[in-house]
Amino acid sequence: MSDEPQPQQPTPGWASRESLAAGAAQAAGPEGSGKQKKPKRPKRTGWGRLIPTWRMVLGTFLVGVLLLVGGFFLGYSLVQIPAANALATKQANVYLYADGSVIARDGEVNRESVGLARISKDAQHAVLAAEDRDFYTESAIDPMAMVRAGWNTATGKGKQSGSTITQQYVKNYYLAQEQTVTRKVKEFFISIKLDREKSKNEILEGYLNTSFFGRGAYGIQAAAQAYYGIDAKDLTAGQGAYLASLLNAPSQYDVVAHPENRPAAEARWNYVLDGMVKKGWLTQSERAAQKFPAPRESTVSTGMSGQRGYIVNIVKDYLISNEIVDEEELDRGGYRITTTLQKDKQDAFVKAVDDKLMSQLDKKERKVDTYVRAGGASVDPETGKVVAMYNGIDYVKQYTPNATRRDFQVGSTFKPFVFTSAVENHSETQDGRVINPNTIYDGTSERPVQGWSGGRYAPENEDHHDYGDITVREATDKSVNAVYAQMAVDVGSDKVMQTAIDLGLSKNTPELTPSPSIALGVATASPLDMAEAYATLANHGRHGTYTLVEKVMKDGKHEVDLPERRERQAVSREAADTTTSVLRSVVQNGTATAAQAAGRPAAGKTGTAEEDTAAWFAGYTPELATVVAVMGQDPETAAHKSLYGAMGLARINGGGAPAEIWGQYTRDALEGEPVTDFDLQLQTGADVTAPPSAGSSDEPGSGDESGTGAPEDESGDEDSGTETPGGSAGTPSDDTGQDGGTTTGGPTTGGASTEPGPTGGADGGDDSANGGTTEGDDGGDTTGAGGGDPETGTIAGLPTGPGRERQ
């Protein structure tokens, strides 16, 4: 074997160092002789191509920074501080009747600029606590707040400005209010420039003099006068905190116009005061001593006298609540608003109230006559248009709009909703009989309602009158509480509540809760609410929300889009028409004979609130649904007051002044129009009227104390002493004054049953503990929370609630 080294076979997959070097040299060619070329970087393949390299990331970042810096300096140099937008260019809004005639004009600028020295320190600190607590130490803009607000707006959490006080001042004083990117960019740069050119005190002073506080007040001096009748320098911490709260929602936090929003306003007020404590502007002891400073009623010019001011404010709230026009934009003016109100019908409504009620008052001789208020609304059933409203004797003297307030119980005007629900749901009595106009119930007073699991409930009839066996039709004519309390249980009080909502009542109606007392009208709906619901019955069960506005023009050339009115079959035609047939009997034979003055076929129901604090008539013809309420309210304290002795009568009931007003108004409003009868499709068997029940002729109240022929039993009575079931408001009495006796759901042959009701709650208690007694429709009283509390009134998207009224 040779000692020479033997050639070795290269290992597969590997190349010798020499061969690699030789290959590289060969690839280099002649020029590459003596030099070794670097190997190529392997190409990125697959997902690797999508991942940016660090060089790409760094390059993009640097370019972005350069663009931002360049854009900032470019914007800063291009955007100049403009001249003030001057509210002196503010225009009036014009409100028109449907025929184009003018109702009123508004839009006067209410503003008085004052120096910072003439604004109390407490008020200054309150505004800072509400809007920008770090104003004196922060920059003109807050980028993080802007990003957060933009994100919240984009994700549907509502529009939020994210603005500092400086930015808000720029928007108020230099720019328009539109929510656009262009405006926000301008606001950004102007704020930075302004912060360099003006002191913090100058900016705060400008902000306080240009901000909108509601009631047409621009600036804190005008606001101090509008809400408290004092100068801005005299504002206390509590008053300043309330005005600062208004910046968040000017009209909604006005607790006089919207008493239903007082809890929210007080929560915001507390937030402001707590912020003042945190910043050291208010001591804990001073904070503890603060009490909510309720503002005074709004003062208005005589140009808003009569019905004009009411109409303007109700239409304004309608536009704002339905998001047709933004509140601040509307206040800036330039809108021409055509309402659905018809001048001839509006005038007829006012005249009817004057003739049948106001002219009968003697405020010098009878103190109770100073309590009398009237409210009403009239709706076209087919279109849902509000054609007339009555809100009070004069907007300048009585600020609260009575057509839209929700703080008086509706009494037995609610009963038709119970019967409608019974027909709609094919309901049966406790012993299995279908409920129709001829169904017999036990009308015995104070007999416990059967089938209710919420506790013993045995409301009395007015004067403890026992009706014995009585048909539903007769019980409606005489407004027997006993029958309707039981019927509500037979149907299901939750179903009754839903039917009322379907017909047109707001689901937020105070005291609208599912219990037997719902049938007796403890709910506090407004006349406009009730007119909408009764219009649904008149329209054969088809419901469309009411509308107050026909057309809106901006600056005489831009028409504002209005929400599309949608109509649906709320209840079956059979349910609505059968209810109409029963309510026709009330006008012909029952508590509402005064409504026959309309001179055409009519259906309706009377009602009375607790202790006769309000009397109602709700009725309709095929062409018009109208509700009238006469209410009692102290002109100084705004407390609900009984109307015993008003007009020189022992009492005012639903069959008296309300039905008389309704009759005259309906006759005049429809004058010249053809008389048409109701076209009804009735529940099977409802077209046959059962003979009167035995002994039914001895019911109380075959006459009317007001001389109209309506029964006397609209008079009140004291508590039955029975417990209000389920903690609900109590049991208002019925039109005839019967206070809601109970029924077994079927006839009895041995008189009133002695069988105890369900024992799910305590027996016997005093109803007054549940919120006071409420008198039923025309008399018997009912227990019910909510009656007499002027702070509970509201309106679906409209201003409501009593306020202190000036005479």
Side-chain angles (χ1 to χ4, degrees):
M1 185 171 180
S2 171
D3 291 331
E4 293 291 322
Q6 300 297 313
Q8 300 294 316
Q9 190 70 24
T11 303
W14 293 87
S16 68
R17 189 173 299 171
E18 291 79 6
S19 63
L20 286 172
Q26 185 177 0
E31 292 90 9
S33 301
K35 279 190 176 181
Q36 188 170 350
K37 188 174 181 181
K38 291 183 180 179
K40 289 184 178 180
R41 182 181 292 107
K43 293 183 178 181
R44 300 180 352 146
T45 60
W47 287 103
R49 290 177 299 173
L50 302 179
I51 302 174
T53 66
W54 67 270
R55 291 185 178 86
M56 295 169 64
V57 172
L58 179 60
T60 301
F61 175 78
L62 293 175
V63 170
V65 170
L66 290 173
L67 288 175
L68 285 175
V69 173
F72 176 85
F73 283 104
L74 179 63
Y76 188 85
S77 61
L78 291 178
V79 176
Q80 302 299 319
I81 298 178
N85 63 22
L87 286 176
T89 60
K90 175 182 165 78
Q91 304 175 65
N93 293 316
V94 182
Y95 295 82
L96 309 171
Y97 285 111
D99 64 2
S101 57
V102 175
I103 299 173
R105 299 174 185 270
D106 75 348
E108 296 179 4
V109 176
N110 177 19
R111 182 187 63 202
E112 178 186 355
S113 295
V114 293
L116 203 59
R118 292 179 57 194
I119 303 171
S120 73
K121 281 290 184 182
D122 280 335
Q124 294 179 41
H125 290 152
V127 170
L128 293 174
E131 297 296 313
D132 193 351
R133 296 178 184 180
D134 299 318
F135 169 73
Y136 277 100
T137 58
E138 70 181 0
S139 64
I141 58 172
D142 185 349
M144 291 303 297
M146 294 174 67
V147 170
R148 182 171 61 252
W151 173 257
N152 288 338
T153 300
T155 54
K157 296 181 180 179
K159 291 183 179 180
Q160 299 182 25
S161 68
S163 301
T164 63
I165 277 182
T166 303
Q167 289 174 273
Q168 292 182 58
Y169 171 53
V170 168
K171 180 187 70 172
N172 291 341
Y173 192 68
Y174 296 105
L175 302 174
Q177 300 295 313
E178 72 271 15
Q179 294 285 343
T180 64
V181 174
T182 301
R183 199 269 291 164
K184 292 297 291 184
V185 170
K186 289 181 179 179
E187 176 186 299
F188 179 89
F189 288 110
I190 294 172
S191 298
I192 295 174
K193 283 192 171 185
L194 199 68
D195 197 44
R196 293 173 60 89
E197 297 182 12
K198 290 183 179 289
S199 69
K200 290 288 188 180
N201 281 348
E202 288 177 307
I203 293 172
L204 179 61
E205 178 181 303
Y207 174 74
L208 290 173
N209 279 310
T210 56
S211 295
F212 180 62
F213 290 82
R215 293 193 180 183
Y218 286 88
I220 197 164
Q221 170 65 15
Q225 287 289 343
Y227 288 90
Y228 295 109
I230 61 176
D231 290 328
K233 65 182 176 61
D234 299 320
L235 288 168
T236 65
Q239 292 168 335
Y242 176 70
L243 295 183
S245 301
L246 292 170
L247 293 168
N248 191 251
S251 68
Q252 293 304 307
Y253 284 171
D254 186 340
V255 297
V256 173
H258 291 283
E260 73 276 12
N261 292 340
R262 180 162 179 156
E266 289 190 8
R268 180 71 178 173
W269 178 75
N270 283 314
Y271 165 82
V272 174
L273 290 175
D274 291 340
M276 294 175 71
V277 173
K278 288 181 181 179
K279 296 298 293 185
W281 296 324
L282 198 66
T283 66
Q284 284 288 359
S285 60
E286 290 171 335
R287 168 69 179 90
Q290 297 298 320
K291 293 184 178 180
F292 185 76
R296 66 177 188 171
E297 271 198 5
S298 177
T299 56
V300 293
S301 69
T302 54
M304 292 288 118
S305 62
Q307 298 296 307
R308 293 190 292 271
Y310 299 119
I311 293 171
V312 166
N313 279 278
I314 289 173
V315 172
K316 274 185 177 180
D317 276 2
Y318 177 85
L319 293 171
I320 294 167
S321 63
N322 285 281
E323 300 181 349
I324 298 170
V325 180
D326 176 79
E327 178 181 1
E328 197 161 346
E329 280 300 304
L330 183 63
D331 197 76
R332 289 177 183 273
Y335 290 90
R336 188 175 182 85
I337 300 145
T338 304
T339 71
T340 59
L341 299 174
Q342 298 178 20
K343 191 175 188 307
D344 59 340
K345 291 182 174 60
Q346 183 69 30
D347 292 344
F349 214 147
V350 173
K351 187 175 188 305
V353 174
D354 289 344
D355 290 350
K356 298 299 183 181
L357 179 65
M358 297 304 171
S359 64
Q360 310 299 316
L361 303 178
D362 188 343
K363 296 183 179 181
K364 293 182 179 180
E365 295 296 325
R366 295 186 294 267
K367 184 178 180 180
V368 65
D369 283 0
T370 67
Y371 302 152
V372 174
R373 305 284 183 272
S378 189
V379 176
D380 182 329
E382 187 174 353
T383 65
K385 294 178 181 179
V386 180
V387 297
M389 288 187 293
Y390 186 91
N391 284 283
I393 58 170
D394 192 329
Y395 180 71
V396 176
K397 297 178 181 178
Q398 296 176 6
Y399 177 71
T400 303
N402 293 328
T404 57
R405 66 189 301 168
R406 283 182 182 159
D407 60 324
F408 281 93
Q409 293 178 331
V410 301
S412 290
T413 56
F414 194 95
K415 282 187 171 78
F417 306 155
V418 182
F419 180 71
T420 301
S421 190
V423 180
E424 175 71 10
N425 291 289
H426 308 287
S427 301
E428 298 179 347
T429 62
Q430 295 290 304
D431 58 356
R433 290 172 293 113
V434 174
I435 299 173
N436 63 38
N438 297 316
T439 302
I440 295 176
Y441 271 90
D442 179 3
T444 302
S445 181
E446 296 184 86
R447 185 175 186 278
V449 169
Q450 304 298 300
W452 168 249
S453 59
R456 185 178 186 275
Y457 185 57
E460 68 178 38
N461 289 339
E462 193 261 337
D463 288 337
H464 303 277
H465 187 83
D466 292 332
Y467 286 88
D469 293 347
I470 188 172
T471 66
V472 169
R473 188 183 299 276
E474 289 178 279
T476 310
D477 288 350
K478 299 164 186 175
S479 207
V480 181
N481 286 342
V483 172
Y484 273 91
Q486 181 65 52
M487 191 188 301
V489 173
D490 294 345
V491 177
S493 55
D494 55 337
K495 294 180 181 178
V496 171
M497 183 176 75
Q498 187 58 52
T499 295
I501 293 170
D502 291 341
L503 289 172
L505 295 195
S506 168
K507 64 181 179 181
N508 298 319
T509 300
E511 306 304 330
L512 183 62
T513 55
S515 74
S517 64
I518 193 174
L520 308 180
V522 296
T524 58
S526 72
L528 182 55
D529 292 335
M530 296 299 287
E532 183 179 347
Y534 271 69
T536 304
L537 295 175
N539 197 33
H540 308 294
R542 291 192 64 77
H543 172 260
T545 53
Y546 72 86
T547 177
L548 271 166
V549 174
E550 197 83 73
K551 185 177 182 180
V552 179
M553 296 290 292
K554 170 65 173 171
D555 296 329
K557 53 187 176 182
H558 304 299
E559 185 168 352
V560 178
D561 291 335
L562 299 178
E564 181 182 356
R565 182 176 184 269
R566 297 182 179 180
E567 191 177 80
R568 63 184 178 84
Q569 194 73 37
V571 297
S572 66
R573 176 165 184 169
E574 177 184 83
D577 287 1
T578 305
T579 301
T580 297
S581 74
V582 172
L583 296 184
R584 288 201 63 189
S585 180
V586 175
V587 173
Q588 294 165 347
N589 310 306
T591 61
T593 55
Q596 295 176 15
R600 55 181 67 223
K605 188 74 183 71
T606 53
T608 304
E610 68 165 306
E611 297 181 358
D612 276 26
T613 57
W616 296 70
F617 180 70
Y620 51 94
T621 67
E623 306 85 5
L624 202 58
T626 305
V627 174
V628 179
V630 177
M631 311 163 185
Q633 182 177 3
D634 189 296
E636 296 299 326
T637 67
H640 292 195
K641 290 290 187 178
S642 299
L643 292 176
Y644 299 121
M647 299 173 63
L649 303 172
R651 61 190 305 276
I652 295 179
N653 53 44
E660 291 176 348
I661 292 169
W662 187 94
Q664 177 178 317
Y665 162 72
T666 302
R667 181 192 67 218
D668 295 346
L670 297 177
E671 185 177 3
E673 296 188 24
V675 176
T676 57
D677 204 347
F678 290 101
D679 177 21
L680 305 180
Q681 296 179 9
L682 304 181
Q683 175 190 30
T684 303
D687 55 341
V688 178
T689 302
S693 303
S696 64
S697 62
D698 65 347
E699 85 281 357
S702 58
D704 182 308
E705 292 176 77
S706 66
T708 62
E712 295 177 357
D713 35 331
E714 295 222 26
S715 63
D717 198 6
E718 55 269 353
D719 253 351
S720 65
T722 56
E723 179 190 54
T724 299
S728 74
T731 64
S733 81
D734 50 42
D735 296 348
T736 61
Q738 289 81 322
D739 202 355
T742 61
T743 113
T744 62
T748 63
T749 57
S753 168
T754 58
E755 177 186 354
T759 57
D763 289 344
D766 181 0
D767 286 346
S768 62
N770 292 318
T773 64
T774 114
E775 295 203 33
D777 194 36
D778 287 315
D781 61 38
T782 82
T783 64
D789 181 3
E791 296 298 331
T792 60
T794 80
I795 238 131
L798 299 179
T800 61
R804 168 174 268 181
E805 300 187 347
R806 298 180 305 283
Q807 296 261 323

